[in-house]
Amino acid sequence: MNTELLYELYEITEKNDAPDLATVGMPMLREKHPEITHEEAKEIREFTGRHGQELAAAFPDKEAFEAAVEAGIQADKEAAEQAEQEHE
């Protein structure tokens, strides 16, 4: 997960007083960064869907935001491992 792009998504959404990260903020971010693929955009939307409250609480403190992203990545990893164990 690209922490810089996630942070920029929150910045651009706030700066433009956009009502929603996924449907309004993400298109603005993709306009600024056309190199973001459809798959990357989907991953970002899904990540913010799972961890949005923690990310929003940490924003705009960059260090806290980075820590929230890392915590979200770790939580996703643990959830994937647990799901894999349950299917064995």
Side-chain angles (χ1 to χ4, degrees):
M1 186 57 49
N2 186 322
T3 303
E4 291 299 318
L5 281 177
L6 270 175
Y7 190 83
E8 195 168 343
L9 173 61
Y10 276 78
E11 278 184 322
I12 202 167
T13 302
E14 181 180 67
K15 186 188 321 180
N16 290 289
D17 201 27
D20 181 75
L21 286 167
T23 59
V24 182
M26 180 57 73
M28 286 188 279
L29 182 67
R30 288 188 78 188
E31 186 174 305
K32 186 174 178 185
H33 294 281
E35 72 277 7
I36 297 173
T37 66
H38 177 73
E39 187 59 36
E40 287 171 317
K42 180 180 178 214
E43 288 174 16
I44 290 171
R45 284 193 308 273
E46 290 173 353
F47 188 83
T48 58
R50 289 189 303 273
H51 307 292
Q53 289 183 338
E54 296 84 355
L55 295 170
F59 184 82
D61 182 320
K62 191 125 185 196
E63 282 186 27
F65 190 85
E66 289 171 356
V69 170
E70 287 304 315
I73 291 169
Q74 187 62 36
D76 288 351
K77 183 179 176 184
E78 290 170 4
E81 289 170 357
Q82 184 174 357
E84 190 175 301
Q85 289 175 354
E86 290 174 0
H87 285 54
E88 289 181 355

